[in-house]
Amino acid sequence: MKSLAELQALRDKMKGNMGIRDEDDASIRVVVGMATCGIAAGARPVLQAFTDEVAKRGLQNVAVGQTGCIGICQYEPVVEVFMPGQEKVTYVKMTAEKAVQVVNDHLVNGNVVTEYTIGANAK
């Protein structure tokens, strides 16, 4: 059992991470498919990698969240990135390592990692 001080420290730490999930019209949204098929394919580490990397870089304009079935189970884990004023980008067959690269290249520098997108993997 944890002490009251340990629980308060954990709460304060989690409050800092919760800012990552806040959304507004000017924010970038990252949505990870977390239905049964996504979880079975490895979506949990992908979600964690996005959350950790966004927090590590202090990206205040990025909201990381999860959703249910996206509908393309053969491409799981699936991540959708919504940037204001741009078309949605769907990344497929994601891994934690790919997630870190997407944060760096796409979210920070604005360059879509095309080799991880559904268009490049639909062949």
Side-chain angles (χ1 to χ4, degrees), residues 12-101:
D12 292 341
K13 178 184 173 194
M14 293 285 97
K15 272 186 174 179
N17 287 342
M18 289 306 288
I20 295 167
R21 297 177 188 266
D22 290 342
E23 294 184 35
D24 63 34
D25 291 338
S27 69
I28 299 167
R29 287 186 332 154
V30 177
V31 180
V32 180
M34 293 290 288
T36 305
C37 54
I39 293 169
R44 284 189 199 280
V46 171
L47 176 65
Q48 190 65 50
F50 271 106
T51 303
D52 291 348
E53 193 66 16
V54 166
K56 182 175 109 178
R57 292 173 174 269
L59 302 177
Q60 297 299 316
N61 66 327
V62 177
V64 178
Q66 60 188 36
T67 190
C69 184
I70 294 177
I72 48 176
C73 301
Q74 69 270 27
Y75 295 111
E76 293 288 355
V78 176
V79 175
E80 294 180 325
V81 175
F82 300 88
M83 295 185 95
Q86 297 180 19
E87 286 192 34
K88 167 185 74 173
V89 176
T90 303
Y91 289 104
V92 296
K93 300 180 182 177
M94 291 296 291
T95 64
E97 294 78 19
K98 290 177 180 179
V100 171
Q101 184 179 354

